[in-house]
PDB file of all heavy atoms in Angstrom:
ATOM      1  N   GLU A  19     -40.640  16.399 -24.614  1.00 53.00           N
ATOM      2  CA  GLU A  19     -39.464  16.510 -23.703  1.00 53.00           C
ATOM      3  C   GLU A  19     -39.344  15.332 -22.825  1.00 53.00           C
ATOM      4  O   GLU A  19     -38.251  14.742 -22.694  1.00 53.00           O
ATOM      5  CB  GLU A  19     -39.724  17.829 -22.876  1.00 53.00           C
ATOM      6  CG  GLU A  19     -38.835  17.971 -21.658  1.00 53.00           C
ATOM      7  CD  GLU A  19     -37.402  18.402 -21.942  1.00 53.00           C
ATOM      8  OE1 GLU A  19     -37.157  18.891 -23.088  1.00 53.00           O
ATOM      9  OE2 GLU A  19     -36.519  18.317 -21.033  1.00 53.00           O
ATOM     10  N   ASP A  45      -8.989   3.695 -12.635  1.00 98.00           N
ATOM     11  CA  ASP A  45      -8.393   4.761 -11.916  1.00 98.00           C
ATOM     12  C   ASP A  45      -7.642   4.218 -10.694  1.00 98.00           C
ATOM     13  O   ASP A  45      -6.466   4.646 -10.399  1.00 98.00           O
ATOM     14  CB  ASP A  45      -9.459   5.804 -11.446  1.00 98.00           C
ATOM     15  CG  ASP A  45      -9.121   7.196 -11.745  1.00 98.00           C
ATOM     16  OD1 ASP A  45      -8.276   7.442 -12.630  1.00 98.00           O
ATOM     17  OD2 ASP A  45      -9.644   8.148 -11.035  1.00 98.00           O
ATOM     18  N   SER A  46      -8.171   3.250 -10.008  1.00 98.00           N
ATOM     19  CA  SER A  46      -7.544   2.659  -8.871  1.00 98.00           C
ATOM     20  C   SER A  46      -6.446   1.768  -9.273  1.00 98.00           C
ATOM     21  O   SER A  46      -5.362   1.783  -8.622  1.00 98.00           O
ATOM     22  CB  SER A  46      -8.594   1.836  -8.015  1.00 98.00           C
ATOM     23  OG  SER A  46      -9.500   2.677  -7.432  1.00 98.00           O
ATOM     24  N   ASN A  55       2.739  -0.114  -6.252  1.00 98.00           N
ATOM     25  CA  ASN A  55       2.059  -1.193  -5.506  1.00 98.00           C
ATOM     26  C   ASN A  55       1.867  -2.413  -6.443  1.00 98.00           C
ATOM     27  O   ASN A  55       2.135  -3.569  -5.994  1.00 98.00           O
ATOM     28  CB  ASN A  55       0.684  -0.710  -4.953  1.00 98.00           C
ATOM     29  CG  ASN A  55       0.877   0.282  -3.861  1.00 98.00           C
ATOM     30  OD1 ASN A  55       1.811   0.211  -3.038  1.00 98.00           O
ATOM     31  ND2 ASN A  55      -0.087   1.247  -3.811  1.00 98.00           N
ATOM     32  N   ARG A  78      -5.267  14.157 -19.898  1.00 97.00           N
ATOM     33  CA  ARG A  78      -4.710  13.755 -18.537  1.00 97.00           C
ATOM     34  C   ARG A  78      -3.219  13.527 -18.583  1.00 97.00           C
ATOM     35  O   ARG A  78      -2.505  13.951 -17.696  1.00 97.00           O
ATOM     36  CB  ARG A  78      -5.496  12.647 -18.004  1.00 97.00           C
ATOM     37  CG  ARG A  78      -6.876  12.955 -17.629  1.00 97.00           C
ATOM     38  CD  ARG A  78      -7.564  11.771 -17.004  1.00 97.00           C
ATOM     39  NE  ARG A  78      -7.190  11.506 -15.619  1.00 97.00           N
ATOM     40  CZ  ARG A  78      -7.553  10.493 -14.948  1.00 97.00           C
ATOM     41  NH1 ARG A  78      -8.402   9.556 -15.490  1.00 97.00           N
ATOM     42  NH2 ARG A  78      -7.110  10.251 -13.764  1.00 97.00           N
ATOM     43  N   SER A  81      -1.393  16.711 -18.881  1.00 98.00           N
ATOM     44  CA  SER A  81      -1.461  17.438 -17.644  1.00 98.00           C
ATOM     45  C   SER A  81      -0.591  16.842 -16.543  1.00 98.00           C
ATOM     46  O   SER A  81       0.137  17.571 -15.786  1.00 98.00           O
ATOM     47  CB  SER A  81      -2.913  17.490 -17.197  1.00 98.00           C
ATOM     48  OG  SER A  81      -3.056  18.009 -15.884  1.00 98.00           O
ATOM     49  N   ASP A  82      -0.638  15.622 -16.352  1.00 98.00           N
ATOM     50  CA  ASP A  82       0.178  14.855 -15.341  1.00 98.00           C
ATOM     51  C   ASP A  82       1.677  15.151 -15.552  1.00 98.00           C
ATOM     52  O   ASP A  82       2.418  15.420 -14.583  1.00 98.00           O
ATOM     53  CB  ASP A  82      -0.080  13.300 -15.354  1.00 98.00           C
ATOM     54  CG  ASP A  82      -1.383  13.023 -14.636  1.00 98.00           C
ATOM     55  OD1 ASP A  82      -2.056  13.946 -14.150  1.00 98.00           O
ATOM     56  OD2 ASP A  82      -1.758  11.853 -14.604  1.00 98.00           O
ATOM     57  N   PHE A 239      20.305   1.706  -4.832  1.00 95.00           N
ATOM     58  CA  PHE A 239      21.376   2.528  -4.249  1.00 95.00           C
ATOM     59  C   PHE A 239      22.637   2.557  -5.088  1.00 95.00           C
ATOM     60  O   PHE A 239      23.043   1.616  -5.612  1.00 95.00           O
ATOM     61  CB  PHE A 239      21.641   2.065  -2.842  1.00 95.00           C
ATOM     62  CG  PHE A 239      20.458   2.620  -2.046  1.00 95.00           C
ATOM     63  CD1 PHE A 239      19.246   2.000  -2.185  1.00 95.00           C
ATOM     64  CD2 PHE A 239      20.579   3.814  -1.432  1.00 95.00           C
ATOM     65  CE1 PHE A 239      18.112   2.576  -1.576  1.00 95.00           C
ATOM     66  CE2 PHE A 239      19.449   4.408  -0.811  1.00 95.00           C
ATOM     67  CZ  PHE A 239      18.143   3.743  -0.959  1.00 95.00           C
TER      68      PHE A 239
ATOM     69  N   GLU B  19     -38.176  22.719 -26.358  1.00 53.00           N
ATOM     70  CA  GLU B  19     -37.042  21.837 -26.189  1.00 53.00           C
ATOM     71  C   GLU B  19     -35.756  22.652 -26.474  1.00 53.00           C
ATOM     72  O   GLU B  19     -34.828  22.566 -25.641  1.00 53.00           O
ATOM     73  CB  GLU B  19     -37.167  20.670 -27.177  1.00 53.00           C
ATOM     74  CG  GLU B  19     -35.899  19.922 -27.453  1.00 53.00           C
ATOM     75  CD  GLU B  19     -35.549  18.884 -26.425  1.00 53.00           C
ATOM     76  OE1 GLU B  19     -36.390  18.576 -25.558  1.00 53.00           O
ATOM     77  OE2 GLU B  19     -34.413  18.439 -26.377  1.00 53.00           O
ATOM     78  N   ASP B  45      -6.420  16.339 -10.282  1.00 98.00           N
ATOM     79  CA  ASP B  45      -6.079  14.900 -10.521  1.00 98.00           C
ATOM     80  C   ASP B  45      -4.583  14.822 -10.728  1.00 98.00           C
ATOM     81  O   ASP B  45      -3.954  13.867 -10.202  1.00 98.00           O
ATOM     82  CB  ASP B  45      -6.857  14.462 -11.767  1.00 98.00           C
ATOM     83  CG  ASP B  45      -7.464  13.113 -11.566  1.00 98.00           C
ATOM     84  OD1 ASP B  45      -7.680  12.732 -10.444  1.00 98.00           O
ATOM     85  OD2 ASP B  45      -7.773  12.408 -12.608  1.00 98.00           O
ATOM     86  N   SER B  46      -3.953  15.749 -11.437  1.00 98.00           N
ATOM     87  CA  SER B  46      -2.548  15.738 -11.714  1.00 98.00           C
ATOM     88  C   SER B  46      -1.788  16.152 -10.398  1.00 98.00           C
ATOM     89  O   SER B  46      -0.693  15.554 -10.146  1.00 98.00           O
ATOM     90  CB  SER B  46      -2.205  16.754 -12.781  1.00 98.00           C
ATOM     91  OG  SER B  46      -2.759  16.358 -14.030  1.00 98.00           O
ATOM     92  N   ASN B  55       6.371  13.048  -5.953  1.00 98.00           N
ATOM     93  CA  ASN B  55       6.978  14.183  -6.710  1.00 98.00           C
ATOM     94  C   ASN B  55       6.766  15.496  -5.932  1.00 98.00           C
ATOM     95  O   ASN B  55       7.638  16.306  -5.843  1.00 98.00           O
ATOM     96  CB  ASN B  55       6.371  14.278  -8.085  1.00 98.00           C
ATOM     97  CG  ASN B  55       6.776  13.088  -9.009  1.00 98.00           C
ATOM     98  OD1 ASN B  55       7.806  12.596  -8.918  1.00 98.00           O
ATOM     99  ND2 ASN B  55       5.782  12.711  -9.774  1.00 98.00           N
ATOM    100  N   ARG B  78     -13.991   6.852  -4.580  1.00 97.00           N
ATOM    101  CA  ARG B  78     -12.616   6.676  -5.059  1.00 97.00           C
ATOM    102  C   ARG B  78     -11.648   6.260  -3.986  1.00 97.00           C
ATOM    103  O   ARG B  78     -10.773   5.386  -4.237  1.00 97.00           O
ATOM    104  CB  ARG B  78     -12.111   8.020  -5.775  1.00 97.00           C
ATOM    105  CG  ARG B  78     -12.807   8.284  -7.129  1.00 97.00           C
ATOM    106  CD  ARG B  78     -12.318   9.420  -7.745  1.00 97.00           C
ATOM    107  NE  ARG B  78     -10.945   9.281  -8.406  1.00 97.00           N
ATOM    108  CZ  ARG B  78     -10.240  10.221  -8.920  1.00 97.00           C
ATOM    109  NH1 ARG B  78     -10.669  11.497  -8.887  1.00 97.00           N
ATOM    110  NH2 ARG B  78      -9.079   9.976  -9.442  1.00 97.00           N
ATOM    111  N   SER B  81     -12.139   2.703  -3.107  1.00 98.00           N
ATOM    112  CA  SER B  81     -11.705   1.881  -4.273  1.00 98.00           C
ATOM    113  C   SER B  81     -10.219   1.809  -4.335  1.00 98.00           C
ATOM    114  O   SER B  81      -9.686   0.720  -4.431  1.00 98.00           O
ATOM    115  CB  SER B  81     -12.312   2.468  -5.593  1.00 98.00           C
ATOM    116  OG  SER B  81     -11.729   1.801  -6.643  1.00 98.00           O
ATOM    117  N   ASP B  82      -9.514   2.974  -4.206  1.00 98.00           N
ATOM    118  CA  ASP B  82      -8.055   2.945  -4.220  1.00 98.00           C
ATOM    119  C   ASP B  82      -7.494   2.038  -3.104  1.00 98.00           C
ATOM    120  O   ASP B  82      -6.573   1.319  -3.306  1.00 98.00           O
ATOM    121  CB  ASP B  82      -7.538   4.376  -4.083  1.00 98.00           C
ATOM    122  CG  ASP B  82      -7.605   5.153  -5.354  1.00 98.00           C
ATOM    123  OD1 ASP B  82      -8.176   4.551  -6.379  1.00 98.00           O
ATOM    124  OD2 ASP B  82      -7.380   6.359  -5.439  1.00 98.00           O
ATOM    125  N   PHE B 239      16.575   3.287   4.679  1.00 95.00           N
ATOM    126  CA  PHE B 239      17.178   1.980   4.846  1.00 95.00           C
ATOM    127  C   PHE B 239      17.372   1.515   6.300  1.00 95.00           C
ATOM    128  O   PHE B 239      17.663   2.352   7.120  1.00 95.00           O
ATOM    129  CB  PHE B 239      18.507   1.980   4.121  1.00 95.00           C
ATOM    130  CG  PHE B 239      18.208   1.956   2.665  1.00 95.00           C
ATOM    131  CD1 PHE B 239      17.750   3.102   2.069  1.00 95.00           C
ATOM    132  CD2 PHE B 239      18.062   0.735   2.048  1.00 95.00           C
ATOM    133  CE1 PHE B 239      17.219   2.992   0.810  1.00 95.00           C
ATOM    134  CE2 PHE B 239      17.631   0.675   0.727  1.00 95.00           C
ATOM    135  CZ  PHE B 239      17.190   1.811   0.102  1.00 95.00           C
ATOM    136  N   ARG B 244       8.797  -5.525   0.083  1.00 98.00           N
ATOM    137  CA  ARG B 244       7.751  -4.780  -0.739  1.00 98.00           C
ATOM    138  C   ARG B 244       7.112  -3.754   0.120  1.00 98.00           C
ATOM    139  O   ARG B 244       6.871  -3.917   1.368  1.00 98.00           O
ATOM    140  CB  ARG B 244       6.673  -5.835  -1.204  1.00 98.00           C
ATOM    141  CG  ARG B 244       6.975  -6.605  -2.403  1.00 98.00           C
ATOM    142  CD  ARG B 244       6.929  -5.783  -3.753  1.00 98.00           C
ATOM    143  NE  ARG B 244       5.660  -5.365  -4.050  1.00 98.00           N
ATOM    144  CZ  ARG B 244       4.859  -5.985  -4.839  1.00 98.00           C
ATOM    145  NH1 ARG B 244       5.197  -7.173  -5.431  1.00 98.00           N
ATOM    146  NH2 ARG B 244       3.633  -5.575  -5.206  1.00 98.00           N
TER     147      ARG B 244
END
Side-chain angles (χ1 to χ4, degrees):
Chain A
E19 163 80 14
D45 227 22
S46 295
N55 290 325
R78 291 182 73 186
S81 169
D82 284 357
F239 284 77
Chain B
E19 161 81 14
D45 226 23
S46 294
N55 290 325
R78 290 183 74 187
S81 169
D82 284 358
F239 286 79
R244 277 287 293 266

